[in-house]
Amino acid sequence: MSSLLFHAILLLFANAASLAKAKIHYHDFVIQATPVKRLCNTHSTITVNGQFPGPTLDVNNGDTLVVKVVNRAQYNLTIHWHGVRQMRTAWADGPEFITQCPIKPGGSYTYRFTIQGQEGTLWWHAHSSWLRATVYGALVIHPKEGTSYPFPKPKRETPILLGEWWDANPIDVIRQATRTGAAPNVSNAYTINGQPGDLYKCSSQDTTIVHVDSGETNLLRVINAGLNQQLFFTVANHKFTVVGADASYAKPFTTSVLMLGPGQTTDVLITANQPPARYYMAARAYASAQGVPFDNTTTTAILEYKAAPCPAKGVKINPTFPSLPAFNDTATATAFTSSFRSARKVEVPTETDENLFFTVGLGLNNCPAGASSSSCQGPNGTRFTASMNNVSFVLPSNFSLLQAHQQGIPGVFSTDFPSVPPVKFDYTGNVSRSLWQPISATKLYKLKYGARVQIVLQGTSIFTAENHPIHLHGYDFYILAEGFGNFNPQTDTSKFNLVDPPLRNTASVPVNGWSVIRFVADNPGVWIMHCHLDVHITWGLAMAFLVENGVTELEALEEPPVDLPVC
């Protein structure tokens, strides 16, 4: 008995010690317009603390973040902590009109949340209109103090933020598209850590350089912070060992190229085992939609060995250039995404309480009666739209959905989002034009606390098929399988990986294909699920789950903070 008591006391001390080690990190984010020069032109760019990209936040698993956001810009704004589980702290999640009203110009709001059980790379970004074009940064979660990575400790770690740059005000770009009903102008450049690189005008003097020592192994934390484009990423003459994604460890695998959809993160080890020299890192589009314009440029950074020989005076030696997949190389993209496994056997729900089937894709709305042709500049005089299960999601404007739910405010949303498509059709075949026009509504799907949920995410070929990065707020989910064509429950369920499927927060639904995800609804609140191509969420490719409180206090949403912004 005394031995049991002794062990219990030891355990208590161990728990107390681990809690004592957890830190609270305080940050101030001042959102402001800052002159930023790229591609020969200076723009008044919305930044955080005058930095582009914004500051990297370093924490340990178990730490708490307290970030006061002060809005000195001329736009409404919120900050989303992409991939953070936000257990019971939905008020800190950040999507505009979902969990909070925006922070108005001159206003402020303090986000408070704890990182629980997550390690690896996440990121933060604005979740209002297209402000995340420039308002974003890395969120690095190190292992708990006293523990280490499940792989040899790297010599150094470098966040690699892939982004998109418009030689214009991004807010003006999306406002013009909203006005005309047409697709927005594509970006003018891609960036690595905010810099376009050597292949763009007026850019080479500021190209990002990553230094390495011969023989050392470094960790690159790669984040696709781009608005509208999946990206291939590679380093000339080097291979990557993938060890994690979306703040979850992965079974290591080797590859020479990564493919990340917007919102996704990938942690890779890279060993400096080549002759000392300078090698290009490069990223360019994976553009899966046929016949749709995209930014066909390539961004570069330089991996520079410290022992690289200096060229003779006046001689310019260009870094070695990598070979990148073709922009429409779906086979390479698929080979990469389907290589992910969890680092060890995981507990996947084998039984499910909710079996949902969501179609995702684009559509076209007929020109509204009485509208001028200038507002219907989509194909054949239409306006672009997007939907899930034929519902094009409309954000409320007077309350956030979470507020309306918590305070019982009627008329803001309904809870009749369809669990299956209202009409069955050949999703990836020739789709009847009668199905191209979705309904616009604010519909949520209600989940009981603890429900085991499976969702088939089915891509469609309405207007055009493409790869959709689908992000679920407040949750990680297991990706059981993915494939092409229409999901067939009779044959495709045999492909499910129920042993070590990858845990992600953003799934790349293959072009003209499907992904199947599972999760347990153990986090109460209102959680948006949307395509992370920002033009698609602008058009309505989103829905939201309303997860009810459980029985105990620890299964219930916390009370809203006193400084929660009002609409």
Side-chain angles (χ1 to χ4, degrees), residues 110-402:
T110 301
Y111 294 90
R112 295 176 177 83
F113 56 92
T114 300
I115 310 282
Q116 298 179 45
Q118 295 181 283
E119 292 179 14
T121 307
L122 295 175
W123 62 301
W124 55 265
H125 60 79
H127 213 297
S128 310
S129 184
W130 273 24
L131 286 175
R132 82 171 179 87
T134 56
V135 177
Y136 62 85
L139 172 53
V140 175
I141 308 167
H142 300 280
K144 286 187 174 180
E145 278 195 32
T147 64
S148 60
Y149 300 118
F151 46 82
K153 188 169 164 44
K155 185 75 187 292
R156 66 188 92 197
E157 305 178 9
T158 311
I160 300 288
L161 291 109
L162 311 177
E164 273 184 281
W165 179 264
W166 275 260
D167 204 6
N169 178 348
I171 300 293
D172 292 343
V173 173
I174 188 56
R175 281 180 177 172
Q176 181 194 4
T178 304
R179 204 166 47 245
T180 63
N185 292 337
V186 298
S187 54
N188 301 95
Y190 300 114
T191 56
I192 297 178
N193 292 355
Q195 295 295 342
D198 290 359
L199 306 184
Y200 299 89
K201 59 186 181 178
C202 306
S203 299
S204 54
Q205 67 278 15
D206 296 311
T207 296
T208 297
I209 297 175
V210 177
H211 294 283
V212 291
D213 278 323
S214 288
E216 73 181 19
T217 296
N218 293 335
L219 180 66
L220 302 183
R221 300 177 175 277
V222 188
I223 299 165
N224 185 351
L227 243 72
N228 293 317
Q229 195 60 64
Q230 286 90 347
L231 293 165
F232 287 122
F233 175 76
T234 190
V235 178
N237 295 11
H238 290 72
K239 281 195 162 20
F240 303 120
T241 300
V242 175
V243 292
D246 293 0
S248 258
Y249 294 120
K251 201 160 268 154
F253 67 94
T254 306
T255 180
S256 56
V257 64
L258 314 180
M259 193 288 286
L260 293 91
Q264 292 184 321
T265 72
T266 306
D267 290 346
V268 298
L269 296 173
I270 182 169
T271 301
N273 56 7
Q274 295 300 304
R278 301 165 87 227
Y279 299 88
Y280 273 128
M281 302 175 156
R284 82 159 177 216
Y286 165 48
S288 58
Q290 287 191 325
V292 174
F294 66 96
D295 179 348
N296 198 12
T297 62
T298 302
T299 179
T300 57
I302 297 168
L303 186 76
E304 184 173 294
Y305 283 64
K306 290 185 182 167
C310 293
K313 200 169 182 187
V315 177
K316 186 173 187 292
I317 301 173
N318 286 328
T320 306
F321 204 83
S323 97
L324 278 152
F327 68 86
N328 58 355
D329 189 346
T330 291
T332 293
T334 306
F336 177 71
T337 56
S338 56
S339 295
F340 281 92
R341 300 280 181 276
S342 278
R344 55 186 61 83
K345 189 177 186 303
V346 291
E347 285 191 32
V348 189
T350 47
E351 303 291 314
T352 53
D353 305 301
E354 297 273 2
N355 280 298
L356 309 176
F357 189 105
F358 291 175
T359 55
V360 298
L362 304 187
L364 298 172
N365 276 336
N366 294 333
C367 201
S372 72
S373 58
S374 65
S375 65
C376 300
Q377 293 180 31
N380 304 317
T382 59
R383 290 179 60 83
F384 272 109
T385 184
S387 65
M388 297 177 85
N389 276 0
N390 205 45
V391 180
S392 189
F393 190 76
V394 179
L395 285 173
S397 54
N398 297 330
F399 301 95
S400 74
L401 294 173
L402 190 59

Side-chain angles (χ1 to χ4, degrees), residues 46-100:
I46 306 303
T47 64
V48 174
N49 301 346
Q51 296 171 239
F52 169 66
T56 293
L57 304 184
D58 280 283
V59 299
N60 291 81
N61 179 1
D63 288 356
T64 295
L65 272 162
V66 179
V67 184
K68 183 179 182 180
V69 177
V70 178
N71 187 2
R72 292 197 186 138
Q74 74 264 42
Y75 306 108
N76 285 346
L77 170 127
T78 63
I79 300 288
H80 168 51
W81 314 92
H82 185 110
V84 174
R85 284 289 322 264
Q86 297 290 1
M87 299 303 291
R88 303 178 56 230
T89 52
W91 304 107
D93 189 42
E96 184 175 71
F97 295 117
I98 304 293
T99 58
Q100 68 169 98

